[in-house]
Amino acid sequence: MEIKVLKNVMIKNSAIGNDNRERLLKHGVFAINITSSPGAGKTTLLENSLAELNKVHPCAVIEGDLYTSRDAIRLKDKCVPLVQINTEGGCHLDARMVSSALDNLDLEKIKLLIIENVGNLVCPSSFDLGENLRVLVYSITEGADKPMKYANMFKSAHVVLINKVDLAIACNVDIDSLEAEVKEVNQSCKVFRIAANRPESLIEWNEWLLDYVKKFRKGRD
Amino acid sequence: MEIKVLKNVMIKNSAIGNDNRERLLKHGVFAINITSSPGAGKTTLLENSLAELNKVHPCAVIEGDLYTSRDAIRLKDKCVPLVQINTEGGCHLDARMVSSALDNLDLEKIKLLIIENVGNLVCPSSFDLGENLRVLVYSITEGADKPMKYANMFKSAHVVLINKVDLAIACNVDIDSLEAEVKEVNQSCKVFRIAANRPESLIEWNEWLLDYVKKFRKGRD
């Protein structure tokens, strides 16, 4: 009974996720879903890259959070449309929530939609939101042993941003070992090393993303 | 339909949680449920406190993990009985899993049962495992703004161990503000500041816990 209901929930979510993707595609919007543990640096990443991204492809942000609007407030001076979703204790965003958020955005005016998921290294992996690219921000403060332990999240990511690399020595984490394990779990994912609070460390990732979005848009035209 | 099933799951879990607590009580076993985000330091805490605790109250450990036995392996030279639960991708331990684990422990030989939950700052808050004390390990690397954002987890904790305090300056986190917010969310919880990799920082917490367990056992006798 429980399993059957769970299966139904997942099937429904996938269908709505696909609808979201088609709807976004019609408007030429590329969507990324950013996942991570709590405090791994998703919002700091946006604080320090949104202006650069927005110069090339007009952006909008959907902020997922259990209760507060704190992350949205941190981004409010970035001059991009922003919709807050509060899950009221829920452990992940789902496709239906994102669909409602899309109703509140003028999709004709944006080219890159960035969805910041709830901080959780387990549940969000199972929920397709309609994104084109899933980006996992992983903080090295969580240790080098997590890719195998939280394998679903690492497997489902197209890109892994290894964050807070400046704390590697203090946290006694060997970044090469960590990256090797990421690759062991998910051979095809792209990996960047960043310190999200240092904008200069984000240049390579920003350029890769902008180029990826450009190719997507070319493929569409 | 989905809500009804979820409600049933929770009611069933609470009932089994209560059964676990009664079963443990009969054998004079005090149980703690340790929760946290991934990589916040639960296993390091056990690595550096288990020997001290075990000297006073014979311990056993139930290790919760999605897939691997890595944490259990880290603790295997601590000479305490150890049961591994793999949730196979599940985002939390539940009371039924713990009940099965108890079948594999000689409860007459232990006095303090330590359950290390899956690393997740959302879902485990809703699942009573039958513990007497819930302990949240919070790493300051996750920032000072999380108690409000992940309120259920902080509200449900009897004790919050603020960990990795040696990284506070590097992470630009004001520990006093963090602690004030913990207290705002949960006035009655007990807070300790620790660096789990430094055993000397654990003395106060260990003593508090040992004393708490002693009082519990006195109340019972």
Side-chain angles (χ1 to χ4, degrees):
Chain A
M1 164 79 157
E2 288 164 26
I3 291 165
K4 198 179 145 202
V5 172
L6 191 66
K7 220 171 164 183
N8 282 346
V9 169
M10 302 311 288
I11 289 169
K12 239 187 245 174
N13 183 79
S14 289
I16 301 171
N18 278 327
D19 289 348
N20 289 347
R21 203 165 8 254
E22 277 180 30
R23 180 173 171 191
L24 289 165
L25 188 64
K26 264 185 208 158
H27 295 275
V29 180
F30 183 90
I32 73 175
N33 174 8
I34 307 186
T35 63
S36 83
S37 291
K42 298 184 297 301
T43 313
T44 303
L45 172 70
L46 293 184
E47 281 181 316
N48 288 320
S49 61
L50 211 42
E52 287 305 308
L53 300 174
N54 196 47
K55 270 185 214 163
V56 183
H57 305 295
C59 294
V61 174
I62 296 176
E63 269 298 336
D65 219 327
L66 281 82
Y67 295 109
T68 76
S69 301
R70 286 183 169 183
D71 293 347
I73 290 164
R74 282 170 65 186
L75 298 176
K76 75 175 172 14
D77 64 347
K78 298 295 170 193
C79 301
V80 304
L82 213 150
V83 180
Q84 174 75 50
I85 301 175
N86 281 133
T87 63
E88 302 299 331
C91 54
H92 59 271
L93 293 182
D94 66 30
R96 196 193 309 257
M97 296 173 194
V98 170
S99 172
S100 301
L102 294 182
D103 296 340
N104 292 289
L105 288 169
D106 183 349
L107 298 179
E108 274 305 303
K109 289 196 175 149
I110 65 176
K111 296 301 163 209
L112 174 57
L113 173 67
I114 301 171
I115 306 167
E116 182 178 339
N117 217 313
V118 169
N120 180 340
L121 207 56
V122 187
C123 314
S125 71
S126 310
F127 291 83
D128 174 18
L129 305 180
E131 72 266 23
N132 304 99
L133 194 76
R134 193 174 287 190
V135 179
L136 170 57
V137 178
Y138 182 74
S139 166
I140 60 97
T141 59
E142 298 170 45
D145 63 337
K146 301 300 180 293
M148 294 271 188
K149 292 181 68 178
Y150 297 82
N152 287 348
M153 195 60 106
F154 282 85
K155 275 181 193 161
S156 78
H158 301 101
V159 177
V160 175
L161 302 179
I162 299 179
N163 191 21
K164 306 191 191 180
V165 292
D166 49 323
L167 295 175
I169 293 167
C171 293
N172 197 24
V173 168
D174 178 58
I175 308 182
D176 291 333
S177 304
L178 170 60
E179 182 163 341
E181 186 163 308
V182 170
K183 285 290 188 178
E184 204 179 331
V185 172
N186 181 347
Q187 222 182 333
S188 65
C189 77
K190 185 89 188 149
V191 179
F192 295 89
R193 299 180 183 194
I194 64 169
N197 58 348
R198 297 180 187 179
E200 66 277 14
S201 78
L202 301 175
I203 294 172
E204 197 191 344
W205 152 244
N206 284 346
E207 281 178 359
W208 184 90
L209 176 62
L210 289 171
D211 194 52
Y212 197 92
V213 177
K214 205 174 283 173
K215 280 177 191 154
F216 162 87
R217 294 184 46 76
K218 257 193 192 155
R220 183 187 157 258
D221 295 336
Chain B
M1 163 82 157
E2 287 164 26
I3 290 166
K4 197 178 145 203
V5 172
L6 191 66
K7 220 172 163 182
N8 282 346
V9 169
M10 303 310 289
I11 289 169
K12 242 189 241 170
N13 183 79
S14 289
I16 303 171
N18 278 328
D19 290 348
N20 289 346
R21 202 164 10 252
E22 277 180 31
R23 180 174 172 189
L24 290 164
L25 188 65
K26 265 185 206 157
H27 296 274
V29 180
F30 183 89
I32 74 175
N33 174 7
I34 307 186
T35 63
S36 84
S37 291
K42 299 185 294 304
T43 313
T44 304
L45 173 70
L46 294 183
E47 281 181 315
N48 289 320
S49 60
L50 211 42
E52 287 304 310
L53 299 174
N54 196 48
K55 271 185 214 162
V56 183
H57 304 297
C59 294
V61 174
I62 296 176
E63 270 297 337
D65 219 328
L66 282 83
Y67 296 107
T68 76
S69 302
R70 287 183 167 184
D71 294 345
I73 291 165
R74 282 171 64 185
L75 299 177
K76 77 173 169 14
D77 65 347
K78 299 296 171 193
C79 300
V80 304
L82 214 150
V83 180
Q84 174 76 50
I85 301 174
N86 281 134
T87 63
E88 302 298 331
C91 54
H92 59 272
L93 292 183
D94 66 31
R96 196 192 308 257
M97 296 173 193
V98 170
S99 173
S100 301
L102 294 182
D103 297 340
N104 292 290
L105 288 170
D106 183 349
L107 298 180
E108 273 307 302
K109 288 197 176 147
I110 64 175
K111 295 302 163 209
L112 175 55
L113 173 67
I114 301 171
I115 306 166
E116 183 178 338
N117 218 313
V118 169
N120 180 339
L121 207 55
V122 187
C123 314
S125 71
S126 310
F127 291 83
D128 174 18
L129 305 180
E131 72 266 23
N132 304 101
L133 194 76
R134 193 173 288 187
V135 179
L136 169 58
V137 178
Y138 182 75
S139 165
I140 60 97
T141 60
E142 298 170 46
D145 62 337
K146 300 300 179 293
M148 294 273 189
K149 291 180 70 178
Y150 297 82
N152 287 349
M153 196 59 107
F154 282 86
K155 275 181 194 161
S156 79
H158 302 102
V159 177
V160 175
L161 302 179
I162 299 179
N163 192 21
K164 306 193 192 179
V165 291
D166 50 321
L167 295 174
I169 292 167
C171 292
N172 197 23
V173 168
D174 178 57
I175 308 182
D176 291 333
S177 303
L178 170 59
E179 182 164 341
E181 186 162 309
V182 170
K183 286 290 190 180
E184 203 178 332
V185 172
N186 181 348
Q187 221 182 333
S188 66
C189 77
K190 185 88 187 152
V191 178
F192 295 89
R193 299 180 183 193
I194 62 169
N197 58 347
R198 298 180 187 178
E200 67 277 12
S201 78
L202 301 175
I203 294 173
E204 196 191 346
W205 153 243
N206 284 347
E207 283 179 358
W208 184 90
L209 176 62
L210 288 171
D211 193 53
Y212 197 92
V213 177
K214 205 173 283 172
K215 281 177 190 155
F216 162 86
R217 293 184 47 77
K218 258 195 191 153
R220 183 190 156 256
D221 294 336

